[in-house]
């Protein structure tokens, strides 16, 4: 028997008041609009169509429920003779739910015109509406109304005002609201911290964080996330260590932020510890957190563990598949990436644009030209996915690396949009590899004008000229950089040890163990010379602006990191190094020989991909 039949079968002995209330009780358990309309018709028959309590419940279901109908709610609203603040507030919430923020502001004007007094629940949805609609002037007026109508002490409204002003990038106004609050809660403090960090004022955010009388995991995560997002990863680690000393419970949000920090620094052991904590403490490994764990293992050079986590997931979302395919691509395992893609399709998971960026990247890193062409065609012609700039960049990189320069240029010319610096830069890099200086020069100059403040674009052209022995042109590129005030990105390498993550720059001597490290490196270089190592001076010229040229070739940052690793680890242990720039040819050759002489696996993550050096060879097979 349905709810409506039960109501109709109610005993006649019920009092009139109770009979009037039964449809209202039924409204609270409604699940469909058809059911709602039945109750609504009963309410009308009972003469309650002007009753704000009854009609407010009808409007609440229609405006806010997932099964509701906002237009029906508005029709009901228009027939109520004297709607109260509760009903108006419900309409505001309904407009927000249906992403009609501007309508909230119009409805508020109507509310004031009808002389309906707002209550403390009126302003939070209105402030959010101004935030969403970027209605700056209206937001300021509503702020004035919050004070005018006596809600200047309402924390919920004031917290929303802080968020609104942060969204408007009015940080001074956000701080003024915060400073004038009679009582602040964790939301108030965290909103301001997040606001400062969102717009790049991380030190200001830290000042606010230190002033907090009490902190919970949300506020700790806000500050840690601020450091991670601004790439101040060492400070994120320091704050995390302090958090643990203060016995703050690690939740999934802090875990995700710190896993990202581990990814950035290549801090595998720290990442393993956080993953272990997640497992032991019962933190839910949802799709998003699982993807972060997989990404950490992939980018810290531990592909086996990434695969293990991926394979153990009970349900794999698209982001997890994409992350694992991308990890295989980054490690030069093109065939494995393609096999995983095929498995993904067998599991009936629909690929998206990111999937194909990773598949095409896998083909480019492994020289799988025919496979890359097939999947580009499959993506566009079979699945109907529109290729983006990154897809074209992968294809140009794939064709260019394989020496198919004219085919790559033809693809660029046929692009439906103008190619960006990334797409053109891939072709310039290929021209340098294959000695086509004329085409590389032509495209390289365009790249510089597209991104005149990106030092890497100048380096690319200078390297091309250096390859051809055109030193005057190299000097012209360097002069152009100086004239435009473009500073090159300094090269550095990082390696994790028991004491944390150690960072090295080319020729740097700031490390407390610099003397021992340089002595070890000299020993290493002498040892590999005995088996045929000859410094690649040509490579130095090519990397003229990627490492400090005034430093000797021998002391590039990855060599220093390797020397430190050999000093600090036991025989047979793997060395994992992260580098912010592309590894130079000399360091690549030296790393192969070191792996052979010292019987070590050396994994180096550079700007483009991973290199696994083992027994005198590299996983990239010198295709990089």
């Amino acid at each position: 028997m349905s709810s409506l039949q039960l109501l109709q079968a109610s005993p006649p002995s019920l009092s009139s008041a109770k009979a009037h209330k039964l449809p209202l009780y039924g409204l609270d358990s409604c699940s469909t609009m058809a059911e709602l309309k039945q109750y609504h018709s009963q309410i009308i028959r009972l003469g309650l169509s002007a009753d704000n309590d009854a009609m407010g419940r009808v409007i609440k279901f229609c405006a806010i429920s997932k099964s509701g109908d906002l237009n029906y709610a508005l029709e009901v609203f228009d027939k109520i003779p004297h709607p109260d603040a509760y009903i108006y507030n419900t309409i505001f919430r309904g407009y927000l739910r249906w992403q009609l923020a501007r309508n909230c502001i119009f409805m508020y004007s109507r509310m004031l015109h009808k002389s309906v007094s707002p209550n403390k629940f009126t302003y939070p949805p209105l402030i959010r509406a101004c935030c969403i609609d970027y209605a700056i002037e209206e937001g300021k007026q509503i702020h004035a109304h919050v004070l005018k109508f006596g809600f200047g002490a309402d924390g919920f409204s004031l917290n929303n005002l802080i968020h609104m002003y942060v969204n408007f990038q009015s940080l001074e106004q956000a701080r003024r609201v915060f400073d004038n609050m009679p009582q602040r809660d964790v939301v108030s403090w965290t909103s301001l911290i997040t606001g400062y960090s969102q717009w790049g004022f991380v030190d200001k955010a830290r000042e606010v964080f230190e002033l907090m009388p009490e902190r919970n995991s949300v506020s700790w995560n806000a500050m840690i996330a601020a450091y991670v997002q601004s790439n101040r990863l060492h400070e994120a680690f320091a704050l995390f260590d302090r958090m643990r000393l203060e016995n703050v419970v690690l939740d999934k949000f802090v875990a995700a932020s710190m896993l990202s920090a581990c990814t950035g620094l290549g801090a595998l052991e720290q990442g393993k510890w956080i993953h272990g904590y997640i497992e032991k403490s019962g933190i839910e490994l949802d799709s998003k957190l699982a993807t972060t764990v997989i990404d950490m293992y992939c980018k810290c050079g531990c592909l086996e563990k990434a695969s293990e986590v991926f394979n153990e997931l009970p349900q794999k979302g698209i982001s997890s598949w994409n992350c694992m395919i991308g990890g295989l691509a980054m490690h030069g395992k093109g065939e494995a990436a393609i096999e995983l893609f095929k498995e993904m399709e067998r599991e009936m998971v629909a690929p998206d644009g990111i999937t194909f960026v990773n598949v095409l990247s896998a083909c480019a890193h492994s020289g799988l030209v025919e496979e890359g062409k097939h999947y580009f065609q499959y993506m566009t012609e079979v699945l109907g996915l529109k290729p983006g700039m990154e897809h074209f960049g992968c294809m140009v990189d794939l064709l260019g690396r394989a020496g198919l320069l004219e085919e790559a240029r033809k693809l660029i010319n046929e692009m439906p949009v103008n190619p960006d610096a990334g797409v053109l830069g891939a072709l310039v890099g290929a021209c340098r590899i294959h000695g086509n200086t004329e085409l590389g020069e032509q495209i390289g100059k365009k790249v510089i004008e597209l991104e005149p403040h990106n030092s890497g674009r100048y380096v690319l052209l200078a390297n091309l000229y250096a390859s051809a022995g055109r030193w005057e042109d190299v000097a012209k590129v360097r002069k152009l950089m100086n004239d435009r005030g473009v500073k090159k990105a300094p090269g550095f390498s990082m390696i994790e040890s028991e004491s944390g993550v150690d960072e090295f720059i080319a020729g740097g001597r700031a490390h407390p163990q610099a003397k021992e490290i340089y002595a070890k490196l000299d020993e290493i270089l002498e040892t590999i010379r005995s088996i045929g190592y000859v410094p690649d001076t040509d490579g130095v010229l090519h990397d003229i602006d990627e490492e400090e040229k005034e430093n000797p070739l021998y002391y590039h940052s990855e060599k220093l990191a390797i020397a430190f690793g050999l000093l600090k680890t036991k025989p047979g242990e793997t060395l994992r190094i992260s580098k912010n720039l592309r590894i130079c040819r000399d360091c690549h050759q030296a790393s192969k020989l070191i792996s052979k002489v010292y019987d070590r696996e050396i994994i180096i993550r550079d700007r483009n991909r991973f290199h696994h050096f083992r027994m005198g060879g590299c996983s990239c097979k010198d295709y990089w």
Side-chain angles (χ1 to χ4, degrees), residues 505-543:
I505 62 169
R509 294 182 179 270
H511 195 281
Q513 291 179 271
K515 187 176 179 181
E516 296 93 325
I517 293 166
Y518 274 84
K520 183 66 177 177
L521 182 51
D522 288 340
E523 172 208 305
I524 292 167
L525 292 169
E526 191 61 38
T527 304
I528 62 175
R529 276 196 201 96
S530 68
I531 61 166
Y533 168 66
V534 177
D536 185 349
T537 54
D538 191 38
V540 177
L541 296 170
H542 290 189
D543 290 322

Side-chain angles (χ1 to χ4, degrees), residues 79-295:
K79 291 180 174 62
I80 302 173
H82 302 293
D84 58 15
Y86 172 83
I87 293 174
Y88 274 101
N89 296 345
T90 305
I91 294 291
F92 297 150
R93 290 170 62 198
Y95 276 136
L96 283 182
R97 178 172 174 357
W98 294 93
Q99 298 181 342
L100 297 166
R102 174 58 55 171
N103 294 42
C104 278
I105 300 167
F106 291 146
M107 184 61 78
Y108 178 61
S109 297
R110 179 173 170 181
M111 178 182 180
L112 295 178
H113 183 70
K114 294 286 185 180
S115 300
V116 178
S117 296
N119 61 26
K120 69 176 185 177
F121 301 106
T122 300
Y123 290 105
L126 281 172
I127 296 165
R128 285 199 295 274
C130 292
C131 191
I132 292 166
D133 199 54
Y134 210 75
I136 297 175
E137 291 307 314
E138 292 87 344
K140 290 178 179 177
Q141 291 176 45
I142 286 170
H143 181 186
H145 282 209
V146 168
L147 303 177
K148 176 182 175 182
F149 285 101
F151 302 110
D154 178 54
F156 199 28
S157 294
L158 296 177
N159 284 341
N160 275 278
L161 283 170
I162 292 171
H163 177 72
M164 180 189 76
Y165 282 119
V166 164
N167 187 64
F168 295 161
Q169 206 176 346
S170 299
L171 296 178
E172 286 185 15
Q173 190 62 45
R175 185 61 185 259
R176 195 170 294 124
V177 173
F178 175 85
D179 288 340
N180 290 328
M181 290 179 76
Q183 285 188 312
R184 305 179 190 105
D185 57 18
V186 172
V187 175
S188 319
W189 290 91
T190 306
S191 295
L192 194 59
I193 290 167
T194 305
Y196 276 130
S197 60
Q198 179 184 330
W199 296 108
F201 298 98
V202 180
D203 293 326
K204 279 278 187 187
R206 182 62 182 265
E207 286 174 19
V208 175
F209 176 81
E210 294 298 342
L211 291 171
M212 288 186 74
E214 291 182 24
R215 305 180 188 94
N216 62 10
S217 60
V218 176
S219 45
W220 281 96
N221 183 54
M223 195 61 241
I224 289 171
Y227 281 131
V228 173
Q229 288 157 15
S230 59
N231 207 34
R232 292 166 61 170
L233 303 180
H234 291 287
E235 287 161 289
F237 270 98
L239 195 61
F240 178 63
D241 290 341
R242 178 176 150 193
M243 176 184 171
R244 287 165 61 191
L245 284 172
E246 294 186 20
N247 296 316
V248 181
V249 176
L250 174 66
D251 64 16
K252 70 177 183 179
F253 302 105
V254 176
S257 292
M258 284 310 302
L259 285 167
S260 296
C262 293
T263 301
L265 286 178
L268 177 62
E269 294 307 315
Q270 281 272 20
K272 280 181 178 176
W273 184 90
I274 293 166
H275 181 210
Y277 183 94
I278 290 168
E279 292 180 320
K280 289 174 189 172
S281 62
I283 293 174
E284 180 195 2
L285 195 67
D286 58 24
S287 178
K288 187 174 181 180
L289 186 56
T291 302
T292 308
V293 172
I294 294 166
D295 189 52

Side-chain angles (χ1 to χ4, degrees), residues 415-622:
M415 284 175 61
V417 294
N418 291 328
D420 66 6
V423 174
L424 295 175
L427 182 55
V428 178
C431 288
R432 183 182 69 81
I433 293 169
H434 295 287
N436 191 330
T437 309
E438 184 181 349
L439 176 60
E441 179 180 33
Q442 177 190 339
I443 304 296
K445 288 179 177 178
K446 287 183 183 177
V447 172
I448 285 177
E449 295 316 309
L450 282 173
E451 290 189 352
H453 301 293
N454 184 334
S455 64
R457 304 309 180 189
Y458 295 86
V459 170
L460 201 58
L461 184 58
N463 287 348
L464 179 80
Y465 287 139
S467 297
R470 292 170 56 177
W471 307 115
E472 287 185 10
D473 289 318
V474 171
K476 286 177 184 176
V477 173
R478 295 185 69 183
K479 183 177 184 304
L480 183 61
M481 284 182 72
N482 291 332
D483 291 345
R484 292 180 174 180
V486 179
K487 302 293 183 185
K488 60 180 170 28
F492 62 84
S493 296
M494 296 176 292
I495 184 170
E496 188 178 23
S497 67
E498 289 181 1
S499 59
V501 176
D502 290 80
E503 187 174 303
F504 298 91
I505 62 169
R509 294 182 179 270
H511 195 281
Q513 291 179 271
K515 187 176 179 181
E516 296 93 325
I517 293 166
Y518 274 84
K520 183 66 177 177
L521 182 51
D522 288 340
E523 172 208 305
I524 292 167
L525 292 169
E526 191 61 38
T527 304
I528 62 175
R529 276 196 201 96
S530 68
I531 61 166
Y533 168 66
V534 177
D536 185 349
T537 54
D538 191 38
V540 177
L541 296 170
H542 290 189
D543 290 322
I544 194 164
D545 278 312
E546 291 208 357
E547 294 279 11
E548 295 291 341
K549 187 172 183 295
E550 61 270 19
N551 289 311
L553 168 67
Y554 307 128
Y555 302 137
H556 277 188
S557 60
E558 52 267 65
K559 289 194 183 80
L560 292 170
I562 290 172
F564 177 76
L566 290 176
L567 278 173
K568 288 293 182 180
T569 59
K570 297 173 184 174
E573 287 186 358
T574 299
L575 305 184
R576 289 182 170 85
I577 295 162
S578 299
K579 181 175 171 64
N580 68 323
L581 299 174
R582 190 177 68 92
I583 187 172
C584 75
R585 289 193 310 208
D586 180 75
C587 287
H588 191 268
Q589 179 62 19
S591 298
K592 287 196 290 186
L593 295 173
I594 295 168
S595 73
K596 181 179 181 179
V597 170
Y598 289 86
D599 193 20
R600 294 291 193 103
E601 181 176 9
I602 302 169
I603 301 174
I604 298 182
R605 180 183 90 191
D606 74 4
R607 184 173 57 196
N608 296 335
R609 60 172 298 158
F610 273 87
H611 300 267
H612 293 250
F613 300 99
R614 187 184 294 132
M615 296 305 296
C618 179
S619 59
C620 74
K621 299 172 185 174
D622 295 338

Side-chain angles (χ1 to χ4, degrees), residues 370-391:
E370 293 307 315
E371 291 87 343
K373 289 180 180 180
H374 164 74
Y375 283 110
F376 187 74
Q377 185 180 35
Y378 178 67
M379 174 186 79
T380 55
E381 297 181 11
V382 178
L383 298 183
L385 291 173
K386 184 179 178 182
M389 202 67 75
E390 284 185 296
H391 301 103

